[in-house]
Amino acid sequence: MDVYQGAVAALVPFLVAERGYGYAAVSGVVLAASLLSSVAQPLFGALTDRRPLPWLLPVSTLLGGAGIALSGVGGSYGLTLACVALSGVGVAAYHPESARVARSVTRGTGAGHRGMAWFSLGGNLGFAAAPLLVAAVVGTGGLRLTPLLALPALAGAALCIPVLRDLARRRASAADAAAKRGRDDRASFVRLSLAVVCRSIAFVGLSTFLSLFATQRLGGGTAPGTAALVVLYAGGAVGSVLGGALADRWGRVAVARWSYLVAAVALAGVLLVPGPALYLFVALTSAGLYVPFSLQVTLGQDYLPTRIGTASGITLGLTVSIGGLAGPLIGVLADATSLRTALLPLVAMPLLSWALFRALPEPAAPEDEPEPAAPEDEPEPAAPVEEPEPAAPEGEAASAGGGP
């Protein structure tokens, strides 16, 4: 599924080259993919809180692929917006239920955030594959070949059908029953959501314009831009797994907080340091933004344990997709000034996430909560006292000694 989220940004340089779109126009395409997704994901999350909907996984995968596949068929700007919006609806339907299933598999094992890290790794690999897939298809035959991009969706839907339906029905229900014993911490969840919004603005803004920025800085056609996107998404794959491992030692909140500081410094390096060092700073920025990614999902679920679907829809959906709302503003500013000037304010976003994480507590994950201890004043049961066997009468004892 995340191939199609990454494909939107990967299509940007081809839309500029073939259709002559400006910065504002291509940021509008990214906004169309994000807007419906950002609104719809919490709604799908609320639905899955009421009951598991495993059939959403293959259906939403097909919707996501269909939207991107049709985006290059017509030359109309409005039709392109409608197609990528359709893909965004598919993304919105997929993530809350898939996050529920991923968490239910690891609940009770003590490894919830590590399991979510591996789940996020799959998505990040899809992001990383998207620029290569788009370059291989659209780069060779133009936008008219985008229908070929539907093939991963068909494969993904086929894999979902025999496996996820039964898994979601059996395990999501058990996870919900266990989760509803917890208590919601709404204030912490709001602060977490604001931190994810800031992270989203930085990541979506950078990923939307990175290929164009790399092309301007390094030259050589679309190849440097494609390479920069691959590094961005591949760094995210590494960062997701690294986040789960680091959180085992230092805790989710502390790891996320320091990762955002690294991301702020690295993002400044992307925009200010000249030459091929751009790729190094892109990798560091990606890791810094993605180390907290899976940790934020499980933190949201633990802050709202009675509404895991809603928490997943917001942390994976609304707050992530809302970064696309800043895209048109960046595009307009870039058209008026320069792309570097328009991207510089993004450096402040990880710093705001760091500040918000400083006020967050580390919740006890449901699978890590200890079993309730017995009351202290309850005495331990005494060991059973062995009663002596009754002595035999003297006559019987004498006869037992042998012989009359």
Side-chain angles (χ1 to χ4, degrees):
M1 169 57 74
D2 287 317
V3 166
Y4 298 108
Q5 284 189 285
V8 177
L11 285 170
V12 163
F14 298 101
L15 292 172
V16 171
E18 286 195 32
R19 298 181 180 175
Y21 292 170
Y23 293 133
V26 294
S27 61
V29 173
V30 177
L31 174 62
S34 302
L35 188 59
L36 275 177
S37 178
S38 64
V39 173
Q41 285 208 45
L43 300 179
F44 282 110
L47 285 175
T48 59
D49 276 333
R50 302 184 66 177
R51 65 173 184 173
L53 299 173
W55 57 266
L56 278 177
L57 300 181
V59 170
S60 60
T61 301
L62 291 174
L63 280 178
I68 296 300
L70 296 173
S71 64
V73 173
S76 165
Y77 183 69
L79 179 60
T80 301
L81 294 182
C83 290
V84 296
L86 175 65
S87 181
V89 172
V91 170
Y94 178 84
H95 280 123
E97 182 68 9
S98 63
R100 175 194 295 280
V101 172
R103 188 66 188 269
S104 71
V105 169
T106 54
R107 186 177 294 279
T109 66
H113 55 271
R114 276 180 279 127
M116 191 62 68
W118 287 104
F119 169 73
S120 300
L121 171 64
N124 292 326
L125 291 176
F127 265 107
L132 299 176
L133 183 63
V134 170
V137 174
V138 181
T140 56
L143 291 170
R144 63 186 179 83
L145 293 185
T146 55
L148 294 177
L149 298 176
L151 294 177
L154 295 173
L159 291 173
C160 285
I161 291 172
V163 178
L164 291 183
R165 181 173 297 168
D166 182 63
L167 180 65
R169 281 176 178 167
R170 289 188 295 106
R171 296 192 174 179
S173 297
D176 289 347
K180 289 182 180 179
R181 291 197 297 265
R183 298 179 63 182
D184 291 344
D185 183 354
R186 296 182 181 180
S188 294
F189 184 78
V190 169
R191 285 194 291 269
L192 173 71
S193 299
L194 291 174
V196 181
V197 167
C198 295
R199 182 257 178 209
S200 173
I201 292 172
F203 182 78
V204 176
L206 180 63
S207 63
T208 300
F209 296 102
L210 179 61
S211 60
L212 296 175
F213 183 74
T215 298
Q216 288 180 5
R217 289 276 299 276
L218 303 175
T222 60
T226 299
L229 280 179
V230 171
V231 172
L232 179 71
Y233 296 145
V238 174
S240 292
V241 176
L242 185 62
L246 294 175
D248 281 338
R249 182 168 184 179
W250 288 291
R252 291 172 289 179
V253 172
V255 168
R257 186 168 63 240
W258 288 105
S259 296
Y260 279 126
L261 282 182
V262 172
V265 174
L267 183 52
V270 170
L271 300 175
L272 300 175
V273 176
L278 173 140
Y279 294 115
L280 171 62
F281 286 107
V282 167
L284 291 174
T285 301
S286 179
L289 291 175
Y290 263 101
V291 161
F293 185 76
S294 62
L295 307 181
Q296 291 167 163
V297 177
T298 59
L299 281 170
Q301 292 171 337
D302 291 340
Y303 288 142
L304 290 185
T306 67
R307 289 178 288 177
I308 286 182
T310 300
S312 302
I314 292 175
T315 53
L316 275 172
L318 177 63
T319 49
V320 173
S321 301
I322 206 169
L325 300 177
L329 298 178
I330 297 173
V332 169
L333 182 59
D335 284 332
T337 56
S338 69
L339 189 52
R340 175 186 286 177
T341 301
L343 292 175
L344 276 173
L346 297 181
V347 176
M349 295 296 104
L351 293 176
L352 290 174
S353 295
W354 169 80
L356 288 163
F357 260 88
R358 293 191 67 189
L360 287 178
E362 180 73 48
E367 63 265 22
D368 296 328
E369 291 177 357
E371 294 291 329
E376 294 182 1
D377 56 352
E378 182 179 327
E380 296 184 1
V385 178
E386 296 184 2
E387 296 184 3
E389 297 183 2
E394 292 183 4
E396 291 181 9
S399 62

